[in-house]
Amino acid sequence: MTTDERVQVLVVGAGLGGLSATLFLAQRGVRVLGISKHGGTSTHPRATGQHHRTMELLRTGGVADEVLQGSEGVDGLVIKVAESLRGPVLHTIVHDGEDPASALSPERPGLSGQEHVEPVLLDRARALGADVRFRTELTSFEQDGTGVTARLLDRTTGRSSTVRADYLVAADGAHSPVRQALGIERTGRGRLSSHIGIVFDADLDDVLAHDRFTLFYLRNPAFTGVFVASNTPRRNAMAVEYDPTRESPADYPPSRCAELLRVATGLPDLEPEIVETTTWEMAHWVSTRLRDGRVFLVGDAAKVTPPTGGLGGNTAIGDGFDIAWKLAAVLRGEAGPGLLDSYDAERGPYARLVADGSLNNYVRRMAPHLAGPDIPDPVDPHQLTLGYRCRSRAVLIDDDDPAPMEDPFQPSGRPGFRAPHVPLGDRSPADFFGDWTLITLDPAWRDAPVRVPELADPTGELARRFGIGARGASLLRPDGVVAWRTAEPPDDPAGAIRDVLARLLG
């Protein structure tokens, strides 16, 4: 087969996961082509909200401030369970201003919707040299020992072409044709509910005067659904559950959608402008593996999680960052191919925790009739986002604690966990995320073959939280995870770091 084009990485899909992977690959000098069969980025305000960890990663990509512009002037997300926007509030899950995690990160969380974030990621990826093409579909692919050959279709011109890549990143959504073609199975509860998504324009300033950034779970006698405003003026979205065994999308013409919106908003005279209606399935699935040879699954291709908890989009961005720094290290000759095994080893268990925690949230918030012994236990959101422990050969764990998470309010600084947050004047350890960095107070480590910032610790907090004392060191990976640490310097500190990196990078 004749090859029309050669790239290092082909990213299939241009949602949050695909665009993140594309951006972070391009930032590291990788020749990357991103494609999407759709006409452009999302116009739907789904996947709203970015937690602290996501903002730390976006900061390394140079887009944190632009992402935050979508939620300027907002202190925090409010989540209410109510009959309608103006009707009885059954209970409030998250209150405005409640953010105990603010002490755990220098970054503040964002409340931007997907329709705001995706264009930011796209523009940055292209500015860094990535080639991103819309209306371009992957029609087939095959892999061998040295790369992946992909057949692409330009949906505008009808022209087919062939691309050869070293690796393929599949960010092609919940029904991922790439995952299906590889025969990768999924486990989980499966379909939970089907929804009609309604994007509409209407002036709701009065009814949302104090709820501009409130996520409503609606339990109305007429329907069960979710409502959220977007970052675009007058643009809002609602999803209502429907039973596909009794109804079809055709049963939801604009007139019926408008009536449902009147009930949901409590405005009987509302005349909404329906922008689009879509169908989507809320489900609980986790792929049994996230890698097949030279192909890697990210985002919804890796796991499908209920949106209750706001972790789907955040996890997709985390997947994109993780696979990007690891692929780049291998492609630049800084690591052996064994490093890529750590993607599945680390992100697979995390995907399961995210999906299970979100399922528990869904049952408690929207579907109490599903409660039972087969529903996973709740997962603490702070531990999940800031206290998860990575376990793979890319981390040199020095204890036998099997716990998958720890309390980030009491960080241990042990290998596998994200580096603890310690204020360092106008800096923080998170400022060094993005590159291999050695956190130490001892000048004996200055010649180590990684970044070694000069740090002061007048309160002793850094030495205590990192567990390195006055003479030890903690080695941070590009994702800010502690890869190795010691409390005492060896005879040859620089040589010791070279040996550690050789073990970590395969």
Side-chain angles (χ1 to χ4, degrees):
M1 183 180 296
T2 302
T3 300
D4 300 303
E5 193 171 2
R6 181 74 171 81
V7 296
Q8 290 178 294
V9 180
L10 172 64
V11 179
V12 181
L16 293 174
L19 287 173
S20 296
T22 301
L23 185 163
F24 291 119
L25 284 164
Q27 187 180 36
R28 294 175 182 276
V30 174
R31 296 192 311 277
V32 54
L33 168 62
I35 64 169
S36 171
K37 65 182 180 181
H38 301 294
T41 55
S42 176
T43 60
H44 196 292
R46 53 193 169 206
T48 296
Q50 298 76 39
H51 57 57
H52 298 272
R53 176 63 172 155
T54 298
M55 293 309 304
E56 291 173 355
L57 300 179
L58 294 175
R59 177 69 62 189
T60 72
V63 293
D65 291 336
E66 288 183 84
V67 168
L68 288 172
Q69 287 175 3
S71 52
E72 288 182 343
V74 181
D75 292 330
L77 179 69
V78 179
I79 301 178
K80 296 180 179 180
V81 180
E83 284 193 8
S84 71
L85 272 61
R86 304 179 77 176
V89 175
L90 305 178
H91 62 276
T92 300
I93 299 172
V94 178
H95 297 268
D96 191 12
E98 288 185 353
D99 185 21
S102 61
L104 304 179
S105 172
E107 297 292 339
R108 66 183 179 91
L111 285 174
S112 298
Q114 193 165 343
E115 87 286 3
H116 172 80
V117 178
E118 285 187 5
V120 171
L121 299 176
L122 173 63
D123 290 347
R124 177 64 171 162
R126 284 175 167 167
L128 291 167
D131 184 359
V132 182
R133 305 172 192 170
F134 291 94
R135 296 192 60 78
T136 303
E137 184 176 0
L138 175 73
T139 56
S140 65
F141 71 94
E142 57 186 30
Q143 60 175 318
D144 53 45
T146 61
V148 179
T149 301
R151 191 73 172 170
L152 308 184
L153 171 66
D154 185 321
R155 300 181 74 177
T156 300
T157 65
R159 177 180 176 273
S160 292
S161 62
T162 301
V163 173
R164 179 70 174 174
D166 294 298
Y167 296 96
L168 187 152
V169 173
D172 53 342
H175 300 289
S176 180
V178 172
R179 178 189 59 75
Q180 295 183 50
L182 294 171
I184 297 177
E185 297 181 350
R186 299 187 296 181
T187 62
R189 182 82 180 219
R191 187 186 72 85
L192 299 171
S193 56
S194 297
H195 297 257
I196 299 291
I198 308 168
V199 180
F200 68 100
D201 288 341
D203 183 359
L204 300 180
D205 287 348
D206 290 340
V207 71
L208 294 176
H210 301 291
D211 290 305
R212 183 68 182 84
F213 280 89
T214 295
L215 173 64
F216 287 91
Y217 293 115
L218 301 176
R219 290 190 197 168
N220 192 281
F223 61 86
T224 296
V226 179
F227 173 93
V228 66
S230 82
N231 301 122
T232 302
R234 302 184 75 251
R235 179 66 49 84
N236 309 276
M238 187 173 79
V240 296
E241 291 187 14
Y242 79 103
D243 184 350
T245 65
R246 299 169 48 224
E247 295 181 299
S248 74
D251 294 313
Y252 287 82
S255 58
R256 184 178 180 187
C257 291
E259 186 55 40
L260 289 170
L261 293 172
R262 294 184 187 108
V263 174
T265 59
L267 300 174
D269 298 325
L270 182 72
E271 294 295 336
E273 179 183 343
I274 308 297
V275 177
E276 68 171 355
T277 58
T278 58
T279 59
W280 60 279
E281 182 180 276
M282 187 183 297
H284 171 260
W285 291 113
V286 179
S287 296
T288 54
R289 51 195 169 92
L290 307 189
R291 178 187 185 185
D292 185 292
R294 290 176 172 265
V295 182
F296 301 84
L297 308 184
V298 307
D300 287 352
K303 56 92 190 68
V304 181
T305 177
T308 41
L311 293 175
N314 283 279
T315 307
I317 293 172
D319 289 347
F321 185 93
D322 194 77
I323 192 57
W325 79 261
K326 292 172 179 175
L327 279 174
V330 172
L331 288 166
R332 295 191 306 201
E334 299 167 356
L339 175 65
L340 301 178
D341 293 335
S342 67
Y343 177 73
D344 187 22
E346 296 177 3
R347 299 302 292 182
Y350 187 67
R352 172 61 64 184
L353 286 170
V354 167
D356 286 354
S358 300
L359 175 58
N360 181 281
N361 288 340
Y362 169 72
V363 172
R364 288 187 293 111
R365 297 177 186 181
M366 298 184 68
H369 60 282
L370 295 179
D374 59 334
I375 299 300
D377 293 332
V379 178
D380 182 273
H382 296 126
Q383 291 191 24
L384 187 57
T385 58
L386 296 169
Y388 171 70
R389 192 173 203 182
C390 295
R391 296 177 183 274
S392 73
R393 293 183 180 179
V395 178
L396 300 182
I397 291 179
D398 54 7
D399 62 71
D400 56 3
D401 179 7
M405 298 177 288
E406 72 173 7
D407 181 0
F409 292 95
Q410 300 293 329
S412 65
R414 291 176 293 166
F417 291 108
R418 166 186 164 273
H421 172 54
V422 182
L424 304 170
D426 59 352
R427 294 191 298 177
S428 159
D431 293 333
F432 309 121
F433 293 179
D435 295 308
W436 287 91
T437 301
L438 197 67
I439 300 296
T440 184
L441 300 168
D442 189 345
W445 297 92
R446 294 292 176 222
D447 294 330
V450 294
R451 178 171 55 181
V452 187
E454 293 188 17
L455 302 173
D457 188 26
T459 66
E461 189 71 1
L462 183 142
R464 183 184 69 81
R465 286 185 175 250
F466 276 82
I468 58 175
R471 304 193 62 207
S474 178
L475 181 63
L476 308 188
R477 307 190 316 188
D479 56 359
V481 168
V482 176
W484 169 88
R485 74 171 178 178
T486 182
E488 293 291 337
D491 293 336
D492 179 10
I497 294 300
R498 282 192 289 270
D499 291 343
V500 166
L501 286 172
R503 294 171 62 189
L504 294 168
L505 296 174

